[in-house]
Amino acid sequence: MADWRPLSGWRLYWRYVGQSLRAQLQYRGSVVLLAVGHFLITGGEFLAVWALLDRFGSLRGWSLAEVGVFYGLVSIAFATAEAVVRGFDVLPGLVKSGSFDRLLLRPRSVTLQVIGHELQLLRLGRWSQGVVVLAWSVAALQVDWTVGRVLLALWTVIGGACLFSGLFIAQAALSFWTTETLELINILTYGGVETAQFPLSVYRPWFRAFFTFVVPLACVSYFPGLAIVGRPHDAPTALLATAPAAGLLFLGASLLFWRHGLRHYTSTGS
Amino acid sequence: MPQIRVEDLRKTFDIAVRQPGLWGAVRGLLHRQVRHVQALDGVSFNLATGELVGYIGPNGAGKSTTVKVLAGILVPDSGVCEVLGRVPWNQRAAHVAQIGVVFGQRSQLWWDLPVVESFELLRDIYRLAPAPYRQTCDELIGRLDLAALLDVPVRQLSLGQRMRCELAASLLHRPAILFLDEPTIGLDAVSKLAVRDFVRQLNREHGVTVILTTHDMDDIEALCSRIMVIGSGRILSDGSLAALRAKVSGERRLIVDLEIPDLAVSDPEAAVVQVDGRRVELRFDPARTPAAALIGRLAARYPIHDLFVEHPPIEELIARLYEQQR
């Protein structure tokens, strides 16, 4: 048994993922239906955008295809976050049922175990819908797919997924203190998705400032989106391209808050 | 050196008091009213390796708070706690790798997956090497008779079957200490006996220290050489069952089955506790009247078919202990 090595955290994560997928595939039909339903419901959202722009032609100078780029990027990022860190979203339930104490009783990172708790296949619905919208939009815009643009789009989705994950994690951490104000964060999360699906320039200045500096959604959609769509802009392209890093910073801050919440939990046990 | 050392453990919880109604909820947001609950009020005890101790007390007495502290998932306000030479909450990962915990009312198995997949995931979580894992697993499968259950999804198991799997799951990493919280709750008689036999064997043959919290006094009587009773955050009694009996009351029970029903039985040194048809239950203090003398007196006056002497049930001892402390 000389070649045996214990699973690293990363490999344990994939074990969890495999386990979670197998558990969901016990109900194969249900997973397929849920994902299709999710695809149709979120697709309905885009139909509303289409209806709006079809009626008015453009939204403050943005065409449907341009809006579609922002919409697609944000949807993919959000669906990724929803699928991966879903465990944090259901944390209040885990705490209430006592399952959370069980995680603390295992000699592994609590964060890793919460993430591994559930990887939701049904989120493939929104994810693939985002991909379809993005693909159609860039085709309609005849975006020139340079390597730089492809990498920027990927980087934007990564930053966005980190930002939304950060929101889920911050919400979970907050639930260690109170379960009464969680709806507030939900407004930020789900409201943020809807907000960032449009180019941010259509909103009022204070609103833009909030989603740039407090919850930096603009950094993972609007700014890099400008560069991808190829709109003329007055900010340096390099700045637009580094903006998604704000998502990573936000995630980092959320994780620190989460650790603080964990410490609070073990001192109150409630 | 004791395996578990607990000294003067204290813990207070702040519980938000909710005002009724919508207006109350709004006021609660602005001004939280808090009630302090002293869950642990100076708990001290030592446990040696290989003890099997029953930890009993009513709901809210501080049982689970103590267990949570020992398990490292709750930090006390003050006091000393050392388990296997470690402070549980300071080195959580190292600590929990050495203990096993079974909650009778919550499963640690993955609900939708076959039992064996839960075991394998636990193997990876606890970083168990394949050879020792295989050996432990086979041993547990043999002793708990799990071979036929391994491929069954957990949700399809009966409660008794699931409890056997839970026991195995919490022992795969060969913990030195096992916490059992209500392990027989809701089980049928056969499953209860199986669980008790297994726990006894684990303790005797493998030297695993077992801390059993339960409301089932038959569990306590069948398993525990030592009983700790907790009430209102304090240890009220700590010792053998015999010592608990001596401390609370030396009283015995004489149960008499008469030849004729509904006789008015009386004796100057004993009191009738209850009458049920032909069966009469009397309580007496052996220090004042020996059992033989009492039986002699009764036999002379009433037609007796059968009789036996027993201790009062533990539930009653505990209830009386609480009354004495009040």
Side-chain angles (χ1 to χ4, degrees), chain B residues 41-261:
Chain B
D41 190 11
V43 167
S44 307
F45 58 85
N46 287 329
L47 282 186
T49 307
E51 281 201 81
L52 203 172
V53 60
Y55 194 41
I56 54 183
N59 296 327
K63 281 191 312 261
S64 27
T65 307
T66 315
V67 170
K68 279 185 176 183
V69 170
L70 290 177
I73 57 184
L74 186 67
V75 184
D77 295 337
S78 68
V80 178
C81 177
E82 264 180 38
V83 180
L84 297 158
R86 281 192 203 94
V87 177
W89 55 90
N90 280 352
Q91 297 148 278
R92 185 186 66 83
H95 171 69
V96 296
Q98 300 285 320
I99 63 168
V101 185
V102 175
F103 294 111
Q105 319 222 51
R106 305 178 206 146
S107 180
Q108 69 154 317
L109 305 166
W110 279 260
W111 197 242
D112 286 322
L113 294 171
V115 175
V116 66
E117 294 209 27
S118 287
F119 287 1
E120 281 167 9
L121 194 51
L122 287 168
R123 174 195 67 201
D124 292 342
I125 288 173
Y126 283 96
R127 302 177 157 100
L128 305 174
Y133 164 76
R134 203 58 265 161
Q135 196 195 336
T136 315
C137 203
D138 289 345
E139 204 182 315
L140 289 167
I141 289 168
R143 277 202 283 156
L144 287 160
D145 195 17
L146 304 179
L149 306 178
L150 290 177
D151 296 320
V152 181
V154 174
R155 60 169 194 275
Q156 290 172 11
L157 296 177
S158 74
L159 194 57
Q161 291 171 332
R162 207 196 77 206
M163 187 48 63
R164 273 150 52 204
C165 295
E166 299 279 350
L167 280 168
S170 62
L171 291 167
L172 289 170
H173 57 293
R174 294 196 166 267
I177 303 169
L178 180 65
F179 294 90
L180 293 173
D181 185 32
E182 303 269 1
T184 58
I185 196 163
L187 298 191
D188 60 80
V190 178
S191 302
K192 273 189 187 179
L193 290 182
V195 167
R196 283 182 201 141
D197 282 345
F198 175 77
V199 171
R200 192 181 299 117
Q201 199 183 7
L202 182 77
N203 174 256
R204 299 236 173 107
E205 290 172 19
H206 296 262
V208 174
T209 308
V210 179
I211 296 161
L212 170 69
T213 62
T214 183
H215 289 291
D216 187 328
M217 294 305 156
D218 293 336
D219 285 351
I220 299 281
E221 193 138 23
L223 290 174
C224 302
S225 51
R226 176 178 170 189
I227 299 170
M228 295 196 293
V229 185
I230 187 171
S232 314
R234 289 169 189 222
I235 302 283
L236 303 180
S237 162
D238 182 354
S240 66
L241 183 53
L244 175 65
R245 289 206 163 105
K247 178 175 179 175
V248 181
S249 126
E251 179 188 297
R252 298 279 168 85
R253 295 293 162 89
L254 175 66
I255 290 135
V256 183
D257 284 341
L258 300 162
E259 298 284 3
I260 314 157

Side-chain angles (χ1 to χ4, degrees), chain A residues 81-139:
Chain A
E82 242 186 342
V84 175
V85 301
R86 166 79 182 163
F88 288 96
D89 202 22
V90 297
L91 188 88
L94 291 184
V95 170
K96 223 183 256 172
S97 70
S99 308
F100 188 68
D101 283 345
R102 176 56 72 183
L103 304 190
L104 291 171
L105 289 172
R106 293 186 175 141
R108 286 298 186 131
S109 144
V110 178
T111 311
L112 175 71
Q113 294 185 71
V114 173
I115 293 175
H117 176 73
E118 197 176 9
L119 185 126
Q120 279 200 318
L121 277 180
L122 84 98
R123 305 298 167 190
L124 275 175
R126 189 197 286 274
W127 197 87
S128 46
Q129 185 258 356
V131 170
V132 169
V133 170
L134 183 65
W136 172 79
S137 302
V138 294

Side-chain angles (χ1 to χ4, degrees), chain A residues 52-81:
Chain A
L52 185 77
L53 281 149
D54 187 55
R55 176 75 182 75
F56 297 105
S58 74
L59 188 65
R60 296 215 175 182
W62 296 90
S63 71
L64 179 64
E66 283 170 320
V67 172
V69 172
F70 296 101
Y71 183 96
L73 288 172
V74 168
S75 292
I76 297 169
F78 183 65
T80 308

